[in-house]
Amino acid sequence: MTYLRNASHVNRAPNMPRNIVGDDPQERVSAEAAILNSRVHYYSRLTGSSDRLLSPPNHVIPRPEEIYIYSPLGTAFKVKGYDQGSKNPSVITIFAIWNTMMGTSILSIPWGIKQAGFTLGILILIFTGFLMLYCCYIVLKSPRAVPYVDTSDWEFPDVCRYYFGKFGQWSSLVFSMVSLIGAMVVYWVLMSNFLYNTGQFIYIICPYPKTDPQENNTFCTPQLSPGGNDSSDGAFEHYWSKTNTIPLYLIVLLLPLLCFRSASFFARFTFLGTISVVYLIVLVTVKAARLGFHLEFHWFDTSEFFVPEFRLLFPQLTGVLTLAFFIHNCIITLMKSNKHQENNVRDLSVAYFLVGFTYLYVGVLIFAAFPSPPLSKDCIEANFLDNFPTSDVMVFVARTCLLFQMITVYPLLGYLVRVQMMGQIFGNHYPSFLHVLVLNIFIVASGVLIARFYPNIGSIIRFSGATCGLVLVFVFPALIHMISLKRQGALRWPSAVFHSTLILLGIANFLAQFFN
């Protein structure tokens, strides 16, 4: 895209069409705009882009509200700049980050703590939170470190392209796709799970008309159980199976939604995410208060009902946390709406503290309240809601809220995948219905296959988190920071050692997922 206001950019495309259009690509307007464009062309030919002496005077440059963007196809669209009055105060920005980061990973935090051990899990969660915050801080300030270039509209892939060329641009795109498609696969597994348990709940209330007047069809007593799935008759299970049929039923609903040209309708329901997370916190608090704490400290040896405080499976938690704290690919965009830009670092730090506290609260309470004995702590599931019976009313409400939230968020994630991938490959977010359909079929098929044959959300989250985190959290931010300091002549050996260690930690986190 080239800005009409920038004479040096216009100089690179002197033969581009000069008609400027509005929001409607068919609406040709204003000979005045074409004349203005010709004037800028005239001044651009007088001098090179490095010489500011003969740059266009102010009366030639259009006002901000008159700036248009040329596309490579020759059409132009009016820029809708940020309105200072529409920017958000710090409180809104902080909770926007909190709400964006709070995803499906929260369901796997208790499982991750169990895999690492209670004490080591808490320490890793705190340490990883600080590490991810620092890397996110590097990403946030990376555009400002680029000299002699207006980076006000840059995102992190643009920074990667500046430092690493096409390789950086495409690498950031590929690994961003890994995080998005990985999240969509996790969503499909969870939606299958929640839909299955919702159907089970309804079936338990009234499975079929009573034929035996002595039979009692009341609710099961809500209690924590390692399996969490109440049994039912074979005919119902045949058509209502968590892995064999439910993932296929979801295709009928979600594949058409993915093909919508615009995702604006689904964006209206993002508030459901906040409601779901708040309800989960309430649910965890109530269950912990009823069950009480069940803790014994065995530092290195395993007992019948308790796990050691330090376990060699801890990389599984680091993989989960890499995705749980991952917001690096969109933090620059989120912070642009902050009213007080000078408070960006403070607001980012507060948001990370709230996210870390939420994860710690849920993880510690579920682990501590898990009734051991009679159950072993090793029975904590990768989705902690699976440890509650289907007949639990509070858990049923949680699953239903999360199901509706994911049904609305899933098309948004698909839209982001489509915009980034199609935009980079074809230069058009919606090249044709066939292109979009093929992409969506691939995404849906990935979710269906994983939901049928490997529905372990803990492993999916940790692998996708470690993979995208390797490049977008550790390698690229650390390299960009060191290259920027070196070009300024300010790189010192302690900084080089520290940021090189970050890269090694990212590589180790990625490789460790294959050995646990």
Side-chain angles (χ1 to χ4, degrees):
M1 307 293 272
T2 54
Y3 282 93
L4 176 60
R5 194 176 185 180
N6 192 321
S8 63
H9 284 196
V10 176
N11 188 38
R12 297 188 186 117
N15 297 320
M16 64 173 63
R18 300 182 182 181
N19 289 331
I20 296 179
V21 301
D23 291 333
D24 182 0
Q26 304 302 320
E27 180 189 356
R28 301 285 168 179
V29 297
S30 179
E32 179 185 354
I35 294 172
L36 177 62
N37 191 29
S38 298
R39 289 177 181 172
V40 177
H41 273 297
Y42 169 74
Y43 281 97
S44 69
R45 292 190 180 101
L46 293 179
T47 183
S49 59
S50 61
D51 183 6
R52 306 302 298 169
L53 184 61
L54 294 175
S55 57
N58 291 334
H59 71 273
V60 173
I61 303 297
R63 295 188 298 273
E65 63 270 17
E66 295 175 349
I67 300 176
Y68 288 79
I69 298 178
Y70 266 117
S71 76
L73 301 178
T75 57
F77 298 89
K78 191 164 187 174
V79 175
K80 296 178 175 60
Y82 285 104
D83 178 11
Q84 187 67 22
S86 67
K87 292 199 172 186
N88 299 321
S90 292
V91 173
I92 301 298
T93 302
I94 290 169
F95 279 97
I97 297 172
W98 177 84
N99 189 35
T100 304
M101 222 184 301
M102 279 288 122
T104 55
S105 302
I106 193 173
L107 299 174
S108 295
I109 297 297
W111 172 82
I113 291 177
K114 179 257 296 188
Q115 296 298 90
F118 185 62
T119 301
L120 182 59
I122 293 175
L123 295 176
I124 287 177
L125 194 153
I126 296 172
F127 175 75
T128 306
F130 278 110
L131 211 60
M132 296 288 286
L133 168 61
Y134 178 73
C135 293
C136 196
Y137 161 73
I138 294 177
V139 172
L140 179 62
K141 73 184 186 72
S142 60
R144 299 197 301 271
V146 177
Y148 312 119
V149 179
D150 180 14
T151 61
S152 58
D153 61 337
W154 279 26
E155 304 295 339
F156 191 57
D158 300 307
V159 179
C160 295
R161 184 177 65 246
Y162 174 83
Y163 284 99
F164 307 115
K166 286 289 186 181
F167 171 78
Q169 178 185 3
W170 285 98
S171 297
S172 62
L173 172 67
V174 168
F175 285 94
S176 181
M177 291 298 99
V178 169
S179 66
L180 287 172
I181 295 178
M184 295 182 75
V185 169
V186 172
Y187 270 43
W188 201 279
V189 174
L190 286 174
M191 286 186 291
S192 302
N193 181 308
F194 296 150
L195 184 59
Y196 168 80
N197 282 287
T198 300
Q200 285 274 15
F201 180 87
I202 297 172
Y203 181 80
I204 290 171
I205 295 175
C206 185
Y208 39 75
K210 274 190 179 181
T211 55
D212 184 359
Q214 302 300 320
E215 185 180 2
N216 184 8
N217 278 334
T218 57
F219 289 109
C220 300
T221 303
Q223 59 182 1
L224 211 59
S225 64
N229 295 323
D230 298 327
S231 60
S232 55
D233 69 279
F236 179 77
E237 281 290 344
H238 179 72
Y239 294 103
W240 198 257
S241 169
K242 186 190 299 185
T243 56
N244 293 330
T245 59
I246 301 295
L248 299 176
Y249 295 160
L250 288 171
I251 298 176
V252 180
L253 172 64
L254 293 173
L255 183 58
L257 297 181
L258 283 177
C259 295
F260 279 27
R261 182 178 292 268
S262 172
S264 59
F265 172 76
F266 304 104
R268 302 173 185 174
F269 297 95
T270 53
F271 69 92
L272 290 175
T274 304
I275 295 175
S276 300
V277 173
V278 171
Y279 183 80
L280 274 180
I281 295 173
V282 173
L283 170 69
V284 168
T285 304
V286 171
K287 294 298 182 182
R290 290 179 178 176
L291 293 169
F293 285 178
H294 305 267
L295 290 173
E296 284 186 14
F297 293 92
H298 301 265
W299 295 105
F300 299 104
D301 57 320
T302 303
S303 67
E304 182 180 0
F305 299 109
F306 298 92
V307 297
E309 298 301 302
F310 299 91
R311 303 182 75 183
L312 294 178
L313 296 175
F314 70 88
Q316 297 187 9
L317 175 60
T318 62
V320 170
L321 291 175
T322 306
L323 193 64
F325 285 110
F326 182 72
I327 198 174
H328 301 60
N329 59 343
C330 62
I331 188 61
I332 296 175
T333 302
L334 286 172
M335 282 304 188
K336 283 179 182 177
S337 63
N338 197 6
K339 188 173 183 179
H340 300 286
Q341 291 292 301
E342 67 277 9
N343 295 332
N344 277 353
V345 176
R346 182 201 66 185
D347 296 345
L348 178 65
S349 303
V350 173
Y352 259 86
F353 171 79
L354 291 177
V355 170
F357 178 78
T358 305
Y359 287 149
L360 200 60
Y361 184 84
V362 172
V364 167
L365 282 190
I366 288 294
F367 183 92
F370 196 83
S372 301
L375 304 174
S376 170
K377 297 289 187 184
D378 251 332
C379 293
I380 297 176
E381 299 282 349
N383 170 11
F384 76 81
L385 292 179
D386 283 344
N387 286 112
F388 294 91
T390 302
S391 55
D392 190 308
V393 178
M394 286 192 70
V395 177
F396 164 74
V397 174
R399 287 174 175 141
T400 304
C401 290
L402 288 168
L403 176 61
F404 280 106
Q405 178 215 349
M406 291 180 181
I407 289 174
T408 58
V409 172
Y410 189 85
L412 283 175
L413 295 176
Y415 177 77
L416 293 176
V417 171
R418 183 211 315 164
V419 165
Q420 294 188 34
M421 186 173 293
M422 296 295 184
Q424 288 289 337
I425 297 175
F426 300 104
N428 188 340
H429 298 166
Y430 203 100
S432 73
F433 177 77
L434 181 61
H435 286 82
V436 173
L437 181 62
V438 170
L439 174 63
N440 291 338
I441 289 175
F442 168 76
I443 294 173
V444 168
S446 302
V448 171
L449 291 174
I450 296 297
R452 290 203 63 186
F453 300 109
Y454 192 70
N456 187 330
I457 66 164
S459 293
I460 302 169
I461 290 174
R462 68 185 179 92
F463 273 105
S464 58
T467 303
C468 70
L470 171 64
V471 172
L472 298 180
V473 174
F474 296 105
V475 175
F476 275 5
L479 284 178
I480 287 172
H481 184 71
M482 287 191 289
I483 293 172
S484 175
L485 290 179
K486 183 175 178 58
R487 290 178 179 178
Q488 300 170 27
L491 181 62
R492 301 292 182 265
W493 71 265
S495 178
V497 170
F498 175 74
H499 291 91
S500 299
T501 304
L502 285 181
I503 295 175
L504 294 178
L505 285 175
I507 296 173
N509 183 39
F510 173 73
L511 295 178
Q513 305 307 318
F514 297 92
F515 299 99
N516 283 276

